[in-house]
């Protein structure tokens, strides 16, 4: 081993981890690192705001299971990373954030752009560290990836002081090893099988963990073999093909959703890859009378409304397969409660006849579903549109409808779409944003144009923070602090050098969508939206909304 700069060794460690991209903005305190990156196999993707870069890393991690990497300099570069790091932390996406820092000998005193970023990042990362000596680089990098990618995945952070990065060091990357996955004991498995076999009306609640584990095929087979129907969370969308007769739809918008999907009558709930951060269990177990079987990668969170009878901790694919084999001899007829799914999908189908303009959300979603193939990817931003997409947009496959539902930060969709297209160049990637959230990371249109990333961005325009209007109107009968004006979005997109259209009547949306999908660069479609139809859809689905955007 020959002596070389610490920054070179750091980048070699990234290469050894299989890192393909680093998304970010360089700074004066990351000079050595950037120079080392420039001579590596890692592609550095300059972005226009660190938040955009960190969301790209977040989505890269979510879709690949390998930590996405983002970079910001010290001080403001690092603080700009905070929101997507928190998003990765709560939505369980593996991500490594790298930040620059001033030299070690100026950290004890008042000093230009110095703030304690290690401490700032602690509540939003699974683990983080300052590299205070070049010798520890192989260990900390390996640890950062291992911790980020282990269940439940999330964000980690490394701080790189500039003097340390310029030092000489000997050393070599530590090898990657396959992660160890625990398995539940045969006793626990048989106990769970017993609970399920003796259940009268069991139901599965499937979440993000099923998507992460790639366990949708095992879940579908479990449901087919046992006859037990499956409801999914917003982030679990697509774990069951919506056309599967055992699919009950996406729950979570209203308190009545769960009842309508059969939870009220269920005696046993099999919570599979379910994260409480998305939907609180008090909504589906208000009387705390359900027997709960947990299938997850780590032991269950404590919650008064979530006290499992048995917990099967391990690889979801494997556990579902084994449990399905144990239970297939006592098939269940399935829950009679397909009411939620029937009402929601019925409304979507009926929407093709809605000729109103501005368009109401069901027609807009119907047009999107018609235009997209089953593997194409829809990324939702955060707002009232997310609630419509979460509940009504029908998904065929996991990871084809991507929603932020843990931190739920506006501005998620556009940068995430750029990363999704880098991961899946063969699929079409479409975003839907509100006119509020779209402007929060609009600067990344330049990144998309520069990279030539063919993503289609649909902006539902209503000149309001729609979901806040909806909540305020419900609570107070009036709204306040929610209205704004917009730039000419078409002119704005054209100034970035991309194609853009404004829909002027009901037929325009489908036509522009299809045209946009053929382009080899990014595009934007402005769709004036009419939110006068309550996302609650019908009185049958109840009044009490429990969801928060
Ligand atoms: C970064 C961030 N700020 C504030 C919020 C709270 N919030 C949730 S939805 C919303 C309004 C979204 O408005 P818009 O993007 O226009 O979408 P619409 O609701 O109209 O579909 C706000 C302010 C948030 N989730 N994230």
């Amino acid at each position: 081993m020959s002596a070389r700069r610490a920054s070179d060794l750091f980048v070699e460690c990234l290469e050894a981890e299989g890192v393909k991209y680093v998304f970010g903005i360089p700074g004066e305190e990351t000079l050595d690192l950037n120079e080392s990156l420039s001579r590596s196999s890692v592609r550095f993707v300059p972005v226009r705001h660190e938040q955009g870069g960190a969301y790209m890393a977040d989505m890269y991690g979510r879709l690949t299971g390998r930590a996405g990497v983002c970079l910001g300099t010290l001080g403001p570069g690092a603080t700009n990373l905070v929101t997507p790091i928190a998003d990765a932390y709560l939505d369980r996406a593996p991500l490594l954030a790298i930040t620059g820092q001033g030299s070690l000998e100026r950290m004890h005193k008042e000093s230009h752009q110095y703030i304690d970023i290690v401490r700032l990042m602690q509540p939003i990362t699974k683990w983080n560290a300052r590299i205070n000596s070049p010798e520890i680089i192989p260990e900390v990098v390996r640890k950062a990836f291992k911790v980020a990618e282990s269940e439940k995945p999330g964000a980690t952070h490394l701080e790189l002081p500039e003097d340390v990065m310029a030092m000489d060091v000997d050393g070599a990357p530590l090898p990657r090893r396959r992660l160890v996955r625990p398995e539940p004991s045969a006793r626990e498995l048989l106990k769970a099988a017993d609970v399920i076999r003796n259940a009268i009306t069991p139901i599965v609640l499937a979440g993000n963990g099923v998507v992460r584990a790639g366990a949708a095929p095992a879940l579908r087979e479990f449901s087919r073999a046992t006859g037990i129907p499956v409801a999914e969370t917003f982030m679990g969308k697509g774990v069951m093909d919506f056309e599967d007769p055992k699919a009950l739809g996406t729950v979570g918008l209203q308190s009545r959703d769960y009842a309508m999907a059969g939870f009220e009558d269920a005696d046993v709930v099999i919570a599979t890859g379910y994260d409480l951060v998305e939907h609180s269990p008090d909504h589906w177990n208000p009387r705390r009378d359900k027997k709960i079987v947990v299938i997850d990668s780590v032991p269950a969170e404590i919650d008064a409304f979530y006290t499992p009878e048995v917990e099967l901790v391990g690889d979801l694919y494997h556990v579902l397969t084994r449990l399905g084999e144990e239970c297939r001899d006592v098939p269940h007829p399935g829950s009679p409660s397909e009411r939620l799914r029937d009402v929601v999908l019925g409304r979507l189908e009926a929407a093709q006849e809605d000729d109103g303009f501005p368009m109401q959300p069901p027609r807009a979603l119907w047009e999107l579903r018609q235009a997209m193939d089953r593997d194409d990817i829809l990324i939702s931003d955060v707002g009232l549109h997310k609630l419509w997409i979460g509940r009504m947009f029908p998904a065929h496959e996991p990871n084809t409808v991507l929603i932020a539902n843990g931190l739920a930060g506006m501005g998620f969709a556009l940068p995430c779409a750029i990363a999704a297209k880098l991961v899946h160049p063969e699929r079409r990637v479409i975003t839907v944003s509100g006119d509020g959230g779209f402007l929060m990371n609009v600067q990344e249109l330049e990144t998309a144009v520069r990279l030539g990333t063919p993503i289609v961005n649909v902006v539902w325009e209503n000149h309001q923070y729609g979901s806040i209007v909806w909540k305020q109107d419900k609570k107070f009968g009036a709204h306040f602090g929610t209205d704004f004006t917009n730039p000419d979005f078409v002119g704005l997109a054209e100034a970035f050098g991309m194609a853009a259209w404004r829909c002027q009547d009901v037929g325009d949306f489908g036509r522009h969508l299809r045209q946009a999908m053929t382009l080899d660069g990014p595009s934007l479609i402005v769709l004036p939206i009419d939110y006068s139809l309550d996302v609650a859809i019908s009185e049958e689905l109840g009044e009490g909304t429990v969801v928060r955007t």
Side-chain angles (χ1 to χ4, degrees):
M1 277 179 291
S2 57
R4 59 229 189 276
R5 261 184 322 173
S7 60
D8 289 335
L9 176 59
F10 185 88
V11 172
E12 280 170 36
C13 290
L14 296 184
E15 289 177 318
E17 296 291 342
V19 173
K20 289 200 177 131
Y21 304 99
V22 172
F23 305 96
I25 300 184
E28 287 161 72
E29 281 71 16
T30 63
L31 294 180
D32 286 286
L33 178 71
N34 283 94
E35 202 277 331
S36 299
L37 278 171
S38 74
R39 290 182 290 101
S40 75
S41 63
V42 178
R43 181 174 173 197
F44 183 70
V45 178
V47 295
R48 304 310 301 272
H49 188 298
E50 288 84 354
Q51 181 174 130
Y55 269 131
M56 290 173 205
D58 182 3
M59 181 52 67
Y60 183 91
R62 191 155 144 173
L63 290 176
T64 63
R66 306 283 287 257
V69 184
C70 57
L71 172 77
T73 190
L74 78 174
T79 55
N80 272 353
L81 293 170
V82 163
T83 302
I85 292 176
D87 182 83
Y89 181 68
L90 288 187
D91 275 353
R92 278 76 195 241
L95 173 149
L96 168 62
I98 304 169
T99 56
Q101 188 52 283
S103 295
L104 291 174
E105 83 275 3
R106 72 174 171 101
M107 287 185 192
H108 63 288
K109 60 186 177 185
E110 181 176 308
S111 163
H112 183 63
Q113 290 187 314
Y114 175 75
I115 52 171
D116 188 345
I117 296 297
V118 172
R119 206 142 61 92
L120 183 81
M121 296 292 186
Q122 264 157 12
I124 53 171
T125 53
K126 290 176 74 182
W127 175 79
N128 76 339
R130 170 176 301 142
I131 301 184
N132 49 22
S133 148
E135 276 72 37
I136 67 171
I137 288 173
E139 280 178 6
V140 289
V141 175
R142 183 75 280 273
K143 181 165 179 180
F145 279 87
K146 183 172 181 180
V147 173
E149 292 170 2
S150 302
E151 283 290 321
K152 294 188 173 182
T156 56
H157 162 240
L158 292 175
E159 179 177 81
L160 280 49
E162 61 175 331
D163 53 344
V164 178
M165 283 297 112
M167 290 174 187
D168 283 344
V169 65
D170 270 345
L174 295 178
R176 271 180 81 88
R177 292 269 180 261
R178 260 179 70 86
L179 293 172
V180 182
R181 298 187 194 280
E183 290 306 331
S185 69
R187 216 172 111 235
E188 291 298 298
L189 198 93
L190 293 178
K191 189 173 163 198
D194 212 40
V195 173
I196 294 169
R197 274 195 297 254
N198 289 321
I200 298 165
T201 46
I203 191 170
V204 174
L205 176 60
N208 185 14
V210 180
V211 181
R212 268 197 325 268
L219 177 67
R220 292 172 185 197
E221 176 53 25
F222 173 84
S223 172
R224 201 194 56 73
T226 61
I228 302 175
V230 180
E232 58 200 18
T233 68
F234 280 21
M235 290 184 67
K237 275 187 90 67
V239 292
M240 296 288 277
D241 185 334
F242 79 97
E243 289 174 321
D244 189 309
K246 293 289 172 199
L248 297 173
T250 317
V251 288
L253 185 87
Q254 287 158 275
S255 48
R256 289 280 304 152
D257 273 11
Y258 297 103
M260 296 281 291
F263 281 80
E264 205 164 54
D265 305 323
D267 56 343
V268 170
V269 176
I270 306 163
T272 310
Y274 161 68
D275 294 328
L276 279 62
V277 70
E278 268 208 276
H279 305 296
S280 171
D282 62 342
H283 300 143
W284 52 265
N285 189 21
R287 295 187 302 277
R288 296 155 71 161
D289 57 351
K290 311 284 175 213
K291 276 193 180 163
I292 301 171
V293 175
V294 166
I295 304 175
D296 212 346
S297 55
V298 299
E301 168 68 310
I302 299 296
D303 188 296
F305 295 85
Y306 194 61
T307 48
E309 194 82 0
V310 46
E311 295 186 37
L312 301 181
V313 177
D315 174 58
L316 267 64
Y317 197 108
H318 187 68
V319 174
L320 282 165
T321 305
R322 278 181 66 196
L323 196 60
E325 280 160 12
E326 285 298 328
C327 298
R328 66 188 330 134
D329 50 326
V330 190
H332 293 273
S335 158
S337 235
E338 279 145 17
R339 282 173 294 162
L340 176 69
R341 165 186 150 142
D342 291 349
V343 172
V344 171
L345 290 182
R347 187 66 189 79
L348 181 70
E349 272 307 301
Q352 55 187 299
E353 313 289 339
D354 280 353
D355 285 339
F357 195 84
M359 204 176 260
Q360 292 192 334
R363 173 72 191 254
L365 297 183
W366 186 84
E367 294 286 353
L368 281 161
R369 188 63 280 176
Q370 297 306 303
M372 292 169 63
D373 287 342
R374 51 186 296 132
D375 286 330
D376 288 344
I377 295 174
L378 179 67
I379 304 187
S380 175
D381 208 70
V382 172
L384 202 44
H385 58 283
K386 179 182 97 172
L387 304 187
W388 277 104
I389 291 168
R391 181 193 243 181
M392 189 176 267
F393 188 78
H396 290 285
E397 298 297 336
N399 269 341
T400 59
V401 182
L402 296 159
I403 291 178
N405 211 32
L407 186 76
M410 296 159 71
F412 166 87
L414 167 55
C416 284
I418 295 173
K421 190 69 189 175
L422 289 175
V423 174
H424 291 298
E426 73 292 357
R427 301 201 205 164
R428 289 173 306 183
V429 177
I430 296 165
T431 67
V432 171
S433 302
D435 42 5
F438 188 70
L439 277 192
M440 287 198 181
N441 273 318
V442 70
Q443 75 286 344
E444 300 312 330
L445 287 180
E446 190 281 322
T447 308
V449 169
R450 175 166 28 91
L451 299 181
T453 319
I455 51 173
V456 180
N457 298 283
V458 180
V459 178
W460 288 11
E461 186 176 48
N462 69 333
H463 301 97
Q464 287 181 325
Y465 293 118
S467 73
I468 311 302
V469 169
W470 174 62
K471 288 261 168 159
Q472 289 186 356
D473 284 351
K474 263 185 190 303
K475 189 164 183 189
F476 303 111
H479 50 267
F480 167 77
T482 48
D483 293 21
F484 48 74
T485 58
N486 282 323
D488 164 13
F489 280 118
V490 172
L492 181 69
E494 285 169 354
F496 278 105
M498 51 191 272
W501 304 268
R502 164 175 290 279
C503 300
Q504 309 282 5
D505 69 49
V506 69
D508 280 354
F509 184 42
R511 200 168 54 248
H512 293 325
L513 254 182
R514 283 181 177 79
Q515 190 181 349
M517 285 170 152
T518 65
L519 301 180
D520 52 13
S523 56
L524 183 141
I525 301 171
V526 184
L527 178 66
I529 203 83
D530 170 8
Y531 274 143
S532 61
L533 178 67
D534 195 320
V535 66
I537 305 177
S538 101
E539 280 175 15
E540 197 189 348
L541 295 179
E543 270 297 294
T545 51
V546 291
V547 75
R548 290 181 188 275
T549 48

